[in-house]
Amino acid sequence: MEIILADVRGFCGGVKRAVKMAFDNAAKGVYSYGDLVHNEFVVKELEKKGVLTIDDTNIENSKVIIRSHGVHKKILDKLEEKNNEIINCVCPKVEKVYNIVDNFYKKGYNIVIIGNNKHPEVIGINSRCNDSATIISNLEDIKIPEGKTLIVSQTTNNVDFFEKAINIIKDISKDEVLVYNTICNATFKRQESIRNLSKKVDAVIVLGGKKSSNTKKLAEIAKLNCKNVFLIQSINDIDLNIFKKFNKIGITAGASTPESVIKEAVCRMENFDKGEMMEAIDNSFKRIRKGEVVTGEVLYITDSEVMVNLGYRSDGIISKDELAGGPDVNPADLYKQGQEIDVYVLKMDDGDGNVVLSTKRVADMKIWDEVEELYNNKEKITVTIKNQVKGGLTADFRGLNVFIPASHVSVRFQKDLSKFVGEEFETEIIDFDKRKKRIVASRKNVLQEELDKVRDEVYDKLKEGDIIEGTVQRLTNFGAFVDVGGVDGLIHISELSWNRVKHPSDVVSPGDVVKVQVLNVDKEKNRIALGLKQTMEKPWDVFKNEVKIGDVVKGKVVNLLDFGAFVRLEQGVDGLLHVSQIAREHVEKPQDKLSIGEEVTVKVTDIDEENQKISLSIKALIEPEVKEEDEESKPRERKPRRERKVAPKREKKIEEPKQDDFNMTIGEMLGLNFADADLDSEILEDGKEISASEKEETEKSTEE
């Protein structure tokens, strides 16, 4: 009969921590809320030290141990309110799940927990989202709420079950689904170990408490490959004669199972078969291979090497070159005699019978393991930018090379990446390959998360109608984007001014600080509509208060049409300068006299308040209008009568007039040119009188 122990078994780190803290504080008058771990042996040992197990919050002014699986938040709050000292033994992995759920619940995510809804750990996680989580315990009837969803897992969950549930959820969900694999790494390794072991043996013994979730899952995994699986709390709970028919027997233990229970099982099996069984057990404890990481105890330290006890038939040796601190470090500064350290097996024999070890390799592996855990948990890392390369930036994280693509350097396009060299960035790992030693990170995701937080705060604060101050960031053809507390709002081109605007640059420029009114807030569509003109007095109101009909004002030509020109006055309103009012003479087109942008002085000839129209005139300034009634009311001015010249009497022979002489006009005879004179009817009458008088004298002269 051969006994094979699982490589990973027994207490996990969280349980070791919880048990140590509990026993360090164990005494009479100390209480434990629920069983510290799901193992009766540990619970009984605590009871022997005086620790009482309770399931209510009626105690006060006492010391209370909180179990490793955690409790409902309300229970913890009540215990603290009653002035109890809390010994928090909750597993750090579980605490991390608390923080993840609490953070995303506050961001509005629906919470889905994959696990046993009656398990204390799941109850505690659910309390961090106000008991609103959807808990998935089986694959038959999975339903998830609508909207963005966060999925976490019970830390002791079956990895296969978790992955199947995730695939189903992704198929049925139409919204954003964010998955955090919160299964404990120790749980995963323990499950992988029993999965491999169960393929090699005829029977499997699983040691653990009957209430332990992770122990039950180990048994379930073992049954996938081995028909003979026995789940027992201790070796005393089973008849060993059952195992006589099996050639190979595998043994594993749950996370809450003490090492003493495992050793007891080994001892019983030893007594059952002292021959082959004992040899198999002995080999299982001391077998090591090249390339493995094992734990050893420092035996002694010299200036050039460290000797380590591996529990193997030979001791191990670490040369100075293979120390984690580098070849220049003093080994005595790194380790102390009796200290337990993890070492990497380089060679099984150095020629002198020693196993060749390295702590430098372990340190490198641990860093990659830590990065892998950071990647799986979506945790952020701080990197230092080293160089600009093709396609992005390279950065350093604890000696490892990190690549940041250009598209993930910032939330906005960055033309020059060299300016970031030497800076520290908080980033999120977006791609990781441990085998290829590749890490790809994003600063954009971190910045976007911060912007989303600021955005939520701004959207919660802003209300329609608020007058706020912002800074113009950039201009487009359709408007101006303004930063209002970390979030951009849009002033549409129609809301920039009460007047028509051809381009936003006519009103504002990037960097301008402006007061704007909030017109609309749409958080779902991530839109904030702003108005600039609403913070200014309407130009028409200013015009009405300052200008009246007949006033002479200045303005600038802003548009030219066939029927006239539009002039923008100093008050910001436009008036029409009709083509007939541009000049004294006839103007065919406004373009013949005016040009856009030209400053002109005009007279306000009419104001239509109802339709908000203004009539302007330049002609009125050149040739003021004269009304007909004014012309008629003025007395007509008479031109002075022209004095009649009397020709002196000449003594000469009177000749009979020639026929041509009779063809002369009276005006020609008097020396007047009526064709050129502008005489009115009275002057013409005077002319007739003069003409009649001269005729009379001519007749008298003829008679004589």
Side-chain angles (χ1 to χ4, degrees), residues 297-339:
E297 181 182 339
V298 176
L299 291 175
Y300 61 85
I301 303 169
T302 68
D303 292 339
S304 59
E305 62 186 20
V306 178
M307 191 64 70
V308 181
N309 176 18
L310 301 172
Y312 185 58
R313 64 172 180 264
S314 301
D315 291 331
I317 189 169
I318 310 171
S319 66
K320 210 171 182 182
D321 292 339
E322 290 298 330
L323 290 174
D328 298 328
V329 72
N330 183 1
D333 294 336
L334 296 176
Y335 309 112
K336 294 180 181 179
Q337 187 175 353
Q339 180 181 349

Side-chain angles (χ1 to χ4, degrees), residues 462-593:
L462 286 183
K463 295 179 182 178
E464 291 185 14
D466 288 351
I467 302 296
I468 58 175
E469 196 172 80
T471 304
V472 179
Q473 296 296 307
R474 61 189 187 280
L475 305 179
T476 65
N477 290 332
F478 56 83
F481 285 94
V482 178
D483 182 348
V484 287
V487 178
D488 282 355
L490 173 66
I491 308 176
H492 191 267
I493 191 170
S494 62
E495 304 296 338
L496 281 168
S497 174
W498 292 108
N499 299 307
R500 189 171 180 272
V501 177
K502 289 186 177 180
H503 192 272
S505 59
D506 297 338
V507 182
V508 293
S509 302
D512 288 354
V513 177
V514 293
K515 282 190 176 181
V516 291
Q517 185 180 49
V518 180
L519 303 181
N520 181 259
V521 178
D522 192 334
K523 188 175 182 179
E524 292 184 0
K525 294 183 179 179
N526 194 21
R527 293 176 183 172
I528 301 175
L530 305 173
L532 179 63
K533 70 182 184 182
Q534 286 78 3
T535 63
M536 307 173 183
E537 191 175 0
K538 291 184 178 180
W540 182 261
D541 294 337
V542 177
F543 174 78
K544 282 197 307 180
N545 295 332
E546 295 182 358
V547 181
K548 59 183 182 297
I549 295 174
D551 286 353
V552 177
V553 294
K554 291 184 177 181
K556 185 182 290 185
V557 178
V558 293
N559 199 6
L560 295 172
L561 300 172
D562 290 341
F563 58 83
F566 283 96
V567 177
R568 183 156 299 165
L569 305 181
E570 293 175 344
Q571 291 77 15
V573 294
D574 293 349
L576 174 62
L577 178 60
H578 194 269
V579 65
S580 63
Q581 297 298 318
I582 293 176
R584 178 179 178 182
E585 66 273 13
H586 176 71
V587 176
E588 194 67 38
K589 292 183 179 180
Q591 291 89 333
D592 297 340
K593 290 290 183 177

Side-chain angles (χ1 to χ4, degrees), residues 424-449:
E424 285 191 351
F425 284 170
E426 188 177 27
T427 62
E428 179 185 7
I429 303 172
I430 57 175
D431 188 28
F432 175 80
D433 192 322
K434 187 177 179 179
R435 184 174 59 85
K436 295 181 180 179
K437 307 296 184 186
R438 182 180 67 196
I439 305 172
V440 181
S442 170
R443 176 177 177 247
K444 174 184 175 181
N445 290 0
V446 176
L447 294 176
Q448 189 61 54
E449 186 178 329

Side-chain angles (χ1 to χ4, degrees), residues 39 205-209 231-238 257 261 264-265 268:
N39 188 280
I205 298 174
V206 182
L207 298 170
L231 174 57
I232 55 177
Q233 189 158 292
S234 75
I235 198 65
N236 298 320
D237 298 335
I238 195 169
T257 306
V261 173
E264 182 185 16
R268 286 291 306 277

